[in-house]
Amino acid sequence: MIAPEELGSLLSGEPAYRVDQFREWLYEHPVLAADDMTNLPTEVRERIADSLWPFRVEHEQVADGGRTVKWLFRCPDGAAVEAVLMGYPRRTTLCISSQAGCAMGCTFCATGQFGFDRHLTGGEIFAQVAYANAHLHRHPLPRSPERVTNVVFMGMGEPLANYPNLRESIRRMVEVAGISGRSITVSTVGVVPGIERLTEEPWPVTLAVSLHAVDDHLREQLVPLNRRYPIDDLIAAARRYREKKGRRVSLEWTLMDGLNDTAHQARALAAIAKEIDAHVNVIPMNPTPLAPQRRPPDERIKAFVDEVARHGATVTLRDTRGVEIDAACGQLRVRAESAPAG
Ligand code: SAH
Ligand code: SF4
């Protein structure tokens, strides 16, 4: 996606008003293809056609009665980027990727099992938002805002392991796409120095910490990075974020059958959440082809959530939007790449 500062060089030799026309097409009435920029001469449209997006759309899937759209984008070097758009009555949320693949190797995550390909650039991260806005302009989701109002970094990759590019993408979301910092959620598996850097940034972004366990022994089995940044250090960093920013942190808890779904763990999780004034989000495990972990039965999920609430923490059971199109972290990629060739 072209940054506003790059517009001039792309249109060099053209009159100044072309830059304004182009800017309007990009950021105010976004279009999916240069050909749709109807007041630009054909020659100019052809010149910019390949620079408009840094990737092509390999798959587009629609689910939930048109309220969920999932894209698999492909960069010229083969890197895969996935994003999921979800419409709600008062917000339109885009879940985006910060890396192609992920190096963290969490044992329950499809992206982690595929390993790391490369960091996405700030432009590639931001382009997911710009593309979704262009799509929404043409095809709004039923009864939802016609622009991306909320962004969550919960697609592929660990955003805090790609800090400068994460930072640049957030800057553009706020300054170019007009998304409020409060409506951007950075989800991390626990890169403590990254949380510390984010604490110093000017934007009031929401921090989500993917905790999944209350003791280091279990967490190490699920999240190898826990060996480097154990739970106490992670909670301390989340607490500082809360204090400095005045923003409530959320604790993500992917619920796995027989592993982290006991009443004892629910109580310990509630105690941590209360201690740092965090909100708990429980996400039932989405099975992946390679992961041994399973989703608990529904009554066990409900009992866990009730137990967290009974011990005084605020808790939400996250909806399973998009499950029918494998909208969970990294799963479309698995489907696409394991499909027979040809
Ligand atoms: N790397 C970051 C953000 C991307 S993962 C992180 O780990 O926080 C986004 C969320 O999806 C995380 O909370 C992660 O724990 C969750 N997740 C990963 N695999 C999952 C699965 N198979 N089922 C349910 N949630 C999963
Ligand atoms: Fe990476 Fe997050 Fe998946 Fe872990 S859960 S492998 S950090 S994307």
Side-chain angles (χ1 to χ4, degrees):
M1 181 68 194
I2 305 151
E5 347 19 302
E6 293 161 7
L7 288 178
S9 62
L10 200 66
L11 293 178
S12 65
E14 292 294 319
Y17 66 85
R18 285 263 182 268
V19 177
D20 290 332
Q21 288 176 323
F22 191 33
R23 185 190 302 272
E24 213 178 306
W25 284 121
L26 278 181
Y27 307 117
E28 281 159 48
H29 309 286
V31 287
L32 293 172
D35 236 16
D36 299 331
M37 298 180 168
T38 44
N39 61 357
L40 296 187
T42 318
E43 177 273 315
V44 174
R45 288 187 233 168
E46 278 168 8
R47 177 141 49 99
I48 60 180
D50 290 338
S51 326
L52 203 53
W53 303 107
F55 38 56
R56 64 186 170 78
V57 182
E58 188 163 299
H59 285 288
E60 178 179 284
Q61 285 175 281
V62 180
D64 297 317
R67 292 178 307 141
T68 304
V69 183
K70 178 160 185 163
W71 291 292
L72 174 64
F73 303 113
R74 187 73 66 178
C75 300
D77 69 350
V81 179
E82 63 171 19
V84 184
L85 186 66
M86 292 160 283
Y88 300 92
R90 275 181 297 281
R91 64 195 154 89
T92 297
T93 299
L94 183 69
C95 171
I96 59 171
S97 298
S98 56
Q99 299 176 315
C102 184
M104 297 299 163
C106 301
T107 55
F108 55 91
C109 171
T111 307
Q113 288 153 356
F114 266 82
F116 181 65
D117 190 354
R118 69 169 170 84
H119 292 307
L120 299 183
T121 65
E124 287 166 338
I125 300 172
F126 176 67
Q128 297 166 68
V129 178
Y131 187 88
N133 271 335
H135 175 90
L136 283 167
H137 194 65
R138 287 291 172 90
H139 315 281
L141 305 181
R143 294 175 300 285
S144 300
E146 294 182 14
R147 291 187 78 88
V148 173
T149 59
N150 293 66
V151 172
V152 295
F153 280 86
M154 292 189 182
M156 288 196 287
E158 168 48 48
L160 294 181
N162 183 15
Y163 199 87
N165 294 329
L166 167 74
R167 190 180 186 288
E168 170 61 11
S169 72
I170 294 176
R171 184 188 72 75
R172 289 200 210 174
M173 286 174 210
V174 173
E175 292 177 13
V176 180
I179 298 172
S180 140
R182 286 168 199 281
S183 306
I184 299 172
T185 298
V186 173
S187 177
T188 179
V189 75
V191 181
V192 169
I195 297 175
E196 288 165 348
R197 286 174 81 176
L198 200 62
T199 310
E200 301 307 320
E201 298 289 359
W203 309 294
V205 301
T206 302
L207 177 69
V209 171
S210 297
L211 190 60
H212 314 311
V214 287
D215 66 274
D216 285 320
H217 181 70
L218 174 61
R219 195 162 191 272
E220 277 170 19
Q221 290 172 30
L222 304 173
V223 175
L225 188 74
N226 194 72
R227 290 193 199 101
R228 192 130 151 231
Y229 305 114
I231 294 175
D232 284 352
D233 296 359
L234 179 55
I235 298 301
R239 182 205 303 273
R240 280 194 297 277
Y241 193 87
R242 169 75 185 90
E243 289 167 358
K244 178 100 193 268
K245 295 278 192 203
R247 302 278 304 148
R248 266 186 122 182
V249 170
S250 47
L251 299 177
E252 307 296 307
W253 192 274
T254 296
L255 200 62
M256 304 169 212
D257 194 23
L259 280 174
N260 63 356
D261 59 350
T262 64
H264 161 74
Q265 290 166 88
R267 288 194 287 274
L269 169 61
I272 293 175
K274 280 194 298 183
E275 187 193 318
I276 63 166
D277 186 32
H279 180 91
V280 175
N281 281 317
V282 174
I283 318 151
M285 163 90 191
N286 267 301
T288 82
L290 300 176
Q293 297 89 347
R294 294 279 162 262
R295 176 192 166 107
D298 286 351
E299 60 281 4
R300 214 168 154 78
I301 296 173
K302 184 175 180 309
F304 185 87
V305 171
D306 289 349
E307 191 69 3
V308 174
R310 210 164 64 78
H311 284 82
T314 59
V315 53
T316 309
L317 178 62
R318 280 249 297 269
D319 76 359
T320 47
R321 187 64 82 83
V323 160
E324 63 184 276
I325 53 167
D326 297 340
C329 189
Q331 295 200 39
L332 181 81
R333 195 173 174 215
V334 174
R335 187 61 68 83
E337 291 182 358
S338 58

